[in-house]
Each structure stands twice: as structure tokens, then as C-alpha cells.
Amino acid sequence: MAHLSNLPEHVAIIMDGNGRWAQERNLPRVEGHRKGVEVIREVIRAATELGVKYLTLYAFSKENWSRPKLEVSFLMTLLSHYLDSEVKELHENQIRFNVIGCIDDLPGDVAGKIKRNMEKTKNNQKLVLTLALSYSSRFEIIEAVKKLCRRVRAGTLSENDITETVFSKELFTADMPDPDLLIRTSGEYRLSNFLLWQISYSELYVSEKYWPDFNKADFVQAVGEYQKRERRFGGTAPTAQCRSNERPTGA
Ligand code: IPE
Ligand code: IPE
Ligand code: MG
């Protein structure tokens, strides 16, 4: 059971298993995606109730464009409906809506709605909800490298001034802290090109449940498990007096 101390500030989730959930019920894969959206609603509520500040959900990878056309177009339609029906409520609940990934890979109307909703909710403070859409961590890293190269070539940045902080500021996640906790559902133990730089010191939690079966109690359980972990960031085990789940300052 989660308690209020040592909460993860940023929770990221690889929402996996929609297709298998549907197939096990002899339903088309897309029904799993439909049910998955309901779970997103529940998990956002759980995160705000607990006081998590950043929730980042992997919804569609760059690699997912290789799926059958019908599945991809269903997902885009679902996303479009989500943007119409949910963001108003997010705004009322003081939630900032954010997207990382290549927004312009998405159909024009969807990209437009995303940009408008990001602008509309940009001052909300309760929670930053980020969807990763057409996202690839390797692509993100390469783009950051290119931007830094351009700055060096233009003479506005010296090679010796490239630090982890400077590099991080060129990523899609520039304004966010790194995830403290990364959850993956459906019992798969892999990262699938998600936030590879940012999760260097995140705590990992794998749920055996398919995403459509995941619920508020599972989210609270994952957070509770995180609270029991001892984060070391490469140091030694902390003594009883200074046990903390936070990254040491100056690291
Ligand atoms: C996750 O579920 C959702 C997306 C990647 C869009 P999947 O669609 O990957 O479901 P499985 O892993 O095939 O069961
Ligand atoms: C990861 O799931 C991507 C998302 C959840 C959006 P995938 O189902 O695409 O990952 P793999 O193919 O099993 O690694
Ligand atoms: Mg999958």
C-alpha cells in the first residue's frame, strides 16, 4: 500500500498487452485498445490522488507504424476521439496535457488537436500527463546530437561545455525530471525504445497483467513497491539516518 512519503515524482508506463487481452477473448485486437483507454482514465485519477506530478504513457512508438494499416488507423481514430472527449476534463482537473515524439508524423487533424490542447493546458499545475506518440528514444537521441552539432558549428556552444544537463535539454523531455519509476505491463521485460537516456536510474516494475486489466490498485501497488526500494545512484547503501529515495544533489 502506498503512503505519502517517498512518492515517485515521475512515473512512466509502457502500456502493453492490449492485443493479447483481446485475442484471449476472441475479440479483434482493437477492442483491447478501446479498453486500454478506459484504464488510462483510471490511472490518471490514481496518479493525481496519490500526488504524482508527472505521468508519462507510451502510447504509440515509431516502430508501431509497421503494424497492419487497419490497426494503425483505428489507433489514430481512437486518439482523435480521446483528444475531443478527455482533454476538456483534464483541463478542468488542472492537468497539463503534453506529448513527446514526432507529432508531425500523425494525421494533420490529430497533430493540430494535440498542439491546441498542449497550448490550452500549459499553465496547469496538478499533474503533467505526457503521451509518447510516434516516439523513438534512439531517434530522440540522434536529433539531440544533431542539434548540439549545429550549435557547435554555429559557434554558440563549445564542445567542452556539452554536459549531461546540456544534452538532456535537447531531448523531448527537456522540461521534465527523469522518471523515478518505470512500469511495464503484460509481463514483458524489455524497454522497446522508450526513454533510454532518461531511465538510467529509474526503478523498474513489471506487472504480469495485460494493460486492459491493469487498474488503480495495481498502480498503487507499483508505487508502494517503489517506496520500498533503495535507490543508490551508484553510491553505497545509505545509513538508517539518511535513507532517502532521492538522487543526491550534485550527482
Ligand atoms: C500496447 O498493446 C498498445 C500499443 C502498442 C499501441 P499491444 O498492441 O502491443 O498489445 P500486444 O503486446 O500485441 O498484446
Ligand atoms: C511498446 O509496445 C510500445 C508501446 C506500448 C506503445 P510494443 O508492443 O510495440 O513493443 P514490442 O514490440 O513488444 O517490443
Ligand atoms: Mg505489445
Side-chain angles (χ1 to χ4, degrees), residues 97-239:
F97 176 77
N98 183 39
V99 167
I100 55 171
C102 301
I103 298 176
D104 292 324
D105 287 353
L106 302 165
D109 61 322
V110 174
K113 282 182 204 175
I114 287 172
K115 289 174 191 169
R116 281 195 296 280
N117 284 319
M118 281 172 67
E119 180 60 29
K120 183 168 136 186
T121 62
K122 71 177 182 198
N123 294 321
N124 292 346
Q125 302 284 335
K126 196 172 176 87
L127 169 82
V128 179
L129 168 70
T130 300
L131 298 187
L133 293 169
S134 196
Y135 176 85
S136 149
S137 182
R138 287 185 170 185
F139 176 89
E140 176 185 38
I141 289 169
I142 297 279
E143 287 302 300
V145 170
K146 286 187 200 163
K147 283 185 231 161
L148 292 175
C149 286
R150 284 196 285 269
R151 285 171 60 189
V152 170
R153 210 171 45 226
T156 55
L157 177 71
S158 141
E159 188 184 321
N160 291 332
D161 289 336
I162 301 177
T163 60
E164 290 186 15
T165 307
V166 168
F167 185 82
S168 297
K169 292 282 172 224
E170 298 295 349
L171 298 171
F172 292 131
T173 50
D175 300 332
M176 293 182 217
D178 288 339
D180 301 294
L181 169 63
L182 174 71
I183 300 171
R184 182 165 185 149
T185 59
S186 89
E188 304 287 4
Y189 286 73
R190 59 175 171 267
L191 298 172
S192 304
N193 207 2
F194 189 45
L195 301 177
L196 302 179
W197 167 276
Q198 297 88 336
I199 58 167
S200 296
Y201 271 106
S202 306
E203 294 295 322
L204 310 182
Y205 180 91
V206 173
S207 166
E208 293 302 317
K209 284 193 178 179
Y210 294 139
W211 178 251
D213 284 329
F214 196 78
N215 59 33
K216 185 173 167 178
D218 296 315
F219 184 81
V220 172
Q221 190 179 339
V223 170
E225 174 69 33
Y226 166 86
Q227 291 174 313
K228 287 190 239 148
R229 303 269 180 95
E230 182 184 279
R231 302 182 79 183
R232 295 196 188 158
F233 301 102
T236 52
T239 58

Side-chain angles (χ1 to χ4, degrees), residues 15-21 29 33 59-60 64 67 71 75:
M15 309 180 291
D16 198 18
N18 293 355
R20 280 165 284 165
W21 179 89
R29 288 176 56 85
H33 298 316
F60 193 82
N64 288 149
R67 293 188 176 199
E71 180 168 344
L75 283 166

